[in-house]
Amino acid sequence: MIRKTWYKLLEPMLARVSRRLANKLILLFTSIVILVVASLTFISYGMLRQESVNNSIASTSNNLLLVGRNLENYLNGIVQLSLPQISYDEFSYALTHESEEYASKMYVENYLKNLYFSRSDLEAVYLYIIKEHKYYYVTKENYNITVRVVPHPPIDNLPWYQSALNSPKNSAYQSFVTPQTAEEIKSDYPIDKEKSAMGYHRMIRSIASREPQAMLSLYFNSSVMDEIMKDIPFTDGEHLMYLGPDDVPFVVDSPEFYAASAAEGLPGLLADGRSGRVTWQGAEEKYLVIYDVNENEGWKLVKPIPYKQIYAAATRARMLSFGIGVLFLIASVILVSFVANKITSPLKHLSLQMKRFSAGGFEAEAAVTGNDEIAYLSRHFNKMVERTNELINERYKIKLAQKNATLKALEAEINPHFLYNALQAISTKALKNNSDDIVEMVDNLALTLRYCISGRDVVQAKEELRHIERYLALQKARFGGRMQVLYDWEERLMELRIPKLSIQTLVENCIKHALEKVSTPVTITIEAYETSTHNIISVLDDGPGIRGDRLAEVRASLAVEWDDSAPEDAGGGESIGLKNLNTRLKLLYGEEAGLIIQSDGSGTLLEMRLPREG
């Protein structure tokens, strides 16, 4: 319903636009410009988008790969740091006897001090003695490194302790990004989580029994990791996350974004064991997530990039293309309007002159400027007007001539009747003198003359046959017994309408090319029969036939269109009657009608073919 309403509102405007050729040209070229600009913009935008994605993937993947390797080396350094730097047996013995022997206690304290001094990013070092339920704590107090021993309840319920206990590597990482429960906070060490970025816990077991002896815990600040991570450039809208093997976050630029992405299932999309990229639809926008996976332990360095940021350059290019396209469109419309008006102005003038001409103003004349198609039309329009005026004058003269001819025809109409009456008088005189053959000839000639001067052009076949009988009776007086005539005419074709004097033309050809050429008897056979498509009227003679070259000339003359202005001997003067008849047949019955001539040494056959549906 809405579409019909809009169409009704737009229909008058479209009708007004379509009335002028200039408007059509403007609309056409404007549509072409819009189509070209829109197509180029769309294609270039798509290519720029794809190129932006490819560049982001390539650059970010390479960057994450390099940073990931540095982080891997950093983690490997932490692992190496947590292993005893001296004989493991001595360290294990000291852990066993530290509460009984002062030397063992000092050995442990010196080991922890040396460990603390070995790294600048170490915030604290804890060594929990499992059997004694206490821990050694290395800290810096007033620029002095002190080692304190503090009793502590069992740490068996802490998650990182259970992870290290069950880990084949006897180690576990602790993240401070995810919040701890109240029980975990109560059971954990009293560390400054604002300064510590990550904790690493190493289970120390007895060599003999493999039972846990102690838990070495190292707490690192973010200085070294920040130094490594700063090599990953990211702008507003982008995010960066460093996840542990169990997808536990250790470094995130936005805890809120990590919480939202974890709730939306982003970590589950990252393939384990290999780097790659995925497309992730967040709650508000779509992201291209590129990640690098640590080959040894499966740490993941993840960088989500919003697609709108990747497409920003392509979007700016698209808007620039649209702006240029609009300017180009405006310039094109102005140029096309100017050119279209230049083109259509002569056409408009020509149409006005044509309108004057159609209204009877035969003095109309179009201005001719230039040599283009419009000038060609204007020139020929002027010639048409001139020729029309000439034809009008000629027509006027012909009308006058026709009136004079009608008067003269009325004056001469008495001549055929006078000739017919004179033949009747001769017949009466011959009858009084008992000259029956002369009477018959004169009567046949009179009837033939009357038939010839009748105004009809098409007659019934039976009338034409009666005329042929009278005509042949006159010819028989000339040729005597040498001329034999046979008829084989189907009765149902007696009502067939054929051109007047058509059969006479065929018979005259037999007389001319047979009886007049030889002194022997000649038989003329007149036939009429039907086929599936035509009614056939044929005249056959058994004379000497027509020479091959002459037959070719006659057939060629029948193939040439009739031209009243051509001389009589064009195409052969002797075939003028046949050519005239062939032309009449085609005019009356169509192109399927016509004459067919066949001749050899045994005679000549002329067939007049009339289509049954004609």
Side-chain angles (χ1 to χ4, degrees):
M1 185 66 183
I2 297 176
R3 184 181 298 177
K4 291 182 178 178
T5 303
W6 275 105
Y7 181 77
K8 289 181 179 179
L9 293 174
L10 292 175
E11 186 177 11
M13 183 178 68
L14 293 175
R16 287 194 298 271
V17 170
S18 62
R19 287 196 191 106
R20 294 192 60 204
L21 180 59
N23 294 337
K24 293 181 180 179
L25 291 174
I26 295 171
L27 183 61
L28 173 62
F29 285 105
T30 302
S31 302
I32 293 175
V33 170
I34 293 174
L35 180 62
V36 170
V37 172
S39 300
L40 292 177
T41 302
F42 177 78
I43 293 172
S44 61
Y45 177 65
M47 294 176 65
L48 285 174
R49 277 175 42 131
Q50 187 61 41
E51 189 67 23
S52 299
V53 172
N54 293 338
N55 290 337
S56 296
I57 292 173
S59 61
T60 305
S61 297
N62 293 333
N63 187 262
L64 292 183
L65 177 62
L66 295 175
V67 173
R69 289 177 179 175
N70 293 334
L71 289 173
E72 183 178 358
N73 294 331
Y74 174 72
L75 295 177
N76 290 335
I78 292 176
V79 172
Q80 294 297 324
L81 178 67
S82 67
L83 295 174
Q85 303 299 314
I86 55 179
S87 175
Y88 193 86
D89 294 340
E90 295 178 2
F91 184 68
S92 179
Y93 178 83
L95 290 177
T96 305
H97 299 87
E98 54 84 25
S99 61
E100 302 170 356
E101 300 178 359
Y102 181 76
S104 295
K105 180 178 180 183
M106 293 304 297
Y107 181 91
V108 171
E109 289 183 358
N110 289 332
Y111 175 81
L112 295 178
K113 286 181 179 181
N114 292 332
L115 192 64
Y116 184 82
F117 279 115
S118 65
R119 298 278 297 226
S120 62
D121 59 336
L122 265 174
E123 285 293 324
V125 178
Y126 288 83
L127 180 65
Y128 186 83
I129 309 300
I130 295 176
K131 290 184 178 181
E132 300 295 331
H133 298 298
K134 64 181 181 181
Y135 64 82
Y136 285 82
Y137 169 54
V138 181
T139 184
K140 181 184 289 187
E141 296 179 358
N142 298 325
Y143 302 100
N144 294 320
I145 301 300
T146 60
V147 179
R148 296 183 181 277
V149 180
V150 180
H152 193 277
I155 59 174
D156 299 351
N157 60 333
L158 292 175
W160 52 263
Y161 178 85
Q162 294 296 326
S163 297
L165 181 65
N166 298 322
S167 171
K169 296 182 178 181
N170 295 312
S171 62
Y173 292 92
Q174 182 181 4
S175 170
F176 296 106
V177 175
T178 55
Q180 291 179 298
T181 64
E183 186 64 28
E184 291 173 352
I185 294 173
K186 181 179 179 181
S187 301
D188 207 347
Y189 299 130
I191 59 175
D192 188 355
K193 296 181 181 179
E194 296 295 329
K195 296 181 179 180
S196 299
M198 179 180 66
Y200 179 78
H201 307 277
R202 161 72 68 175
M203 177 71 71
I204 300 176
R205 297 178 181 269
S206 171
I207 297 177
S209 63
R210 303 303 298 165
E211 290 294 326
Q213 287 183 288
M215 178 69 75
L216 178 63
S217 298
L218 307 176
Y219 292 91
F220 299 88
N221 59 38
S222 61
S223 60
V224 175
M225 190 172 290
D226 288 345
E227 186 69 20
I228 297 174
M229 298 286 278
K230 75 177 184 180
D231 292 332
I232 303 177
F234 67 98
T235 58
D236 293 340
E238 298 180 357
H239 296 281
L240 186 64
M241 299 182 292
Y242 192 46
L243 308 180
D246 298 327
D247 293 332
V248 176
F250 283 82
V251 177
V252 294
D253 68 305
S254 172
E256 295 80 8
F257 177 81
Y258 170 76
S261 64
E264 294 289 336
L266 173 58
L269 299 177
L270 308 180
D272 294 331
R274 59 187 179 87
S275 304
R277 64 181 184 274
V278 295
T279 297
W280 173 67
Q281 178 63 57
E284 297 181 355
E285 56 184 314
K286 194 175 183 180
Y287 289 86
L288 172 65
V289 181
I290 304 173
Y291 60 95
D292 180 75
V293 180
N294 184 297
E295 296 180 355
N296 294 330
E297 297 188 12
W299 287 70
K300 300 182 183 71
L301 187 59
V302 185
K303 185 179 181 182
I305 307 173
Y307 269 104
K308 69 177 182 181
Q309 184 172 327
I310 298 175
Y311 296 154
T315 303
R316 288 193 297 271
R318 181 182 61 177
M319 297 306 296
L320 180 61
S321 298
F322 275 135
I324 295 174
V326 170
L327 295 177
F328 182 68
L329 178 62
I330 294 173
S332 299
V333 169
I334 295 174
L335 180 61
V336 169
S337 301
F338 176 76
V339 174
N341 288 324
K342 281 290 185 180
I343 293 174
T344 57
S345 179
L347 287 175
K348 183 178 181 181
H349 179 71
L350 179 60
S351 65
L352 291 176
Q353 297 302 320
M354 287 182 175
K355 187 175 181 181
R356 287 183 58 196
F357 179 74
S358 63
F362 298 114
E363 72 283 358
E365 183 178 1
V368 179
T369 56
N371 295 313
D372 55 7
E373 289 82 357
I374 300 176
Y376 177 82
L377 287 175
S378 301
R379 193 176 297 111
H380 280 267
F381 171 75
N382 294 337
K383 290 182 179 180
M384 182 188 70
V385 172
E386 181 181 355
R387 181 60 178 164
T388 301
N389 288 324
E390 293 176 358
L391 291 176
I392 290 174
N393 294 330
E394 291 179 4
R395 183 65 176 171
Y396 178 72
K397 294 177 181 178
I398 290 173
K399 284 287 186 181
L400 292 178
Q402 284 181 345
K403 290 182 179 180
N404 294 331
T406 302
L407 292 175
K408 291 182 179 180
L410 291 175
E411 293 174 358
E413 190 178 19
I414 191 172
N415 293 334
H417 293 285
F418 173 77
L419 181 58
Y420 178 75
N421 293 333
L423 291 174
Q424 289 291 337
I426 295 172
S427 176
T428 303
K429 187 68 173 178
L431 183 61
K432 290 180 179 180
N433 293 326
N434 296 321
S435 299
D436 295 335
D437 54 346
I438 296 176
V439 172
E440 182 180 357
M441 289 178 63
V442 172
D443 288 340
N444 287 333
L445 180 59
L447 292 173
T448 299
L449 178 61
R450 189 169 192 176
Y451 180 78
C452 291
I453 66 174
S454 64
R456 295 175 297 169
D457 190 51
V458 179
V459 297
Q460 290 184 341
K462 58 184 179 182
E463 297 181 60
E464 183 73 6
L465 288 176
R466 285 197 296 267
H467 166 68
I468 288 300
E469 290 176 355
R470 293 192 292 267
Y471 174 76
L472 290 176
L474 292 173
Q475 295 293 342
K476 197 170 184 63
R478 176 184 176 191
F479 296 103
R482 285 199 309 113
M483 185 179 70
Q484 302 294 327
V485 181
L486 299 177
Y487 295 92
D488 185 7
W489 198 285
E490 293 183 6
E491 185 63 30
R492 61 178 172 273
L493 296 179
M494 285 296 183
E495 303 297 326
L496 182 66
R497 297 182 63 81
I498 60 176
K500 186 176 68 175
L501 303 178
S502 57
I503 300 178
Q504 178 183 329
T505 302
L506 303 182
V507 172
E508 286 178 346
N509 189 77
C510 293
I511 294 174
K512 188 176 188 64
H513 292 284
L515 283 167
E516 292 182 356
K517 300 293 183 182
V518 298
S519 58
T520 57
V522 174
T523 301
I524 298 175
T525 303
I526 301 174
E527 294 181 324
Y529 58 91
E530 291 179 317
T531 65
S532 59
T533 57
H534 290 79
N535 294 319
I536 308 298
I537 299 173
S538 66
V539 176
L540 173 66
D541 67 71
D542 56 357
I546 306 175
R547 297 192 319 274
D549 55 346
R550 178 55 188 160
L551 179 62
E553 291 179 3
V554 174
R555 287 176 174 172
S557 68
L558 296 181
V560 178
E561 293 185 2
W562 182 262
D563 185 1
D564 290 335
S565 62
E568 290 188 0
D569 58 349
E574 296 179 355
S575 62
I576 193 69
L578 296 178
K579 184 176 180 180
N580 186 12
L581 176 59
N582 185 63
T583 303
R584 291 173 64 199
L585 291 175
K586 292 187 178 297
L587 290 174
L588 290 172
Y589 301 100
E591 290 297 324
E592 294 184 6
L595 287 179
I596 295 179
I597 303 177
Q598 299 177 3
S599 182
D600 53 23
S602 60
T604 301
L605 173 64
L606 293 95
E607 285 187 353
M608 185 167 57
R609 291 175 171 263
L610 307 178
R612 297 185 63 179
E613 301 298 330

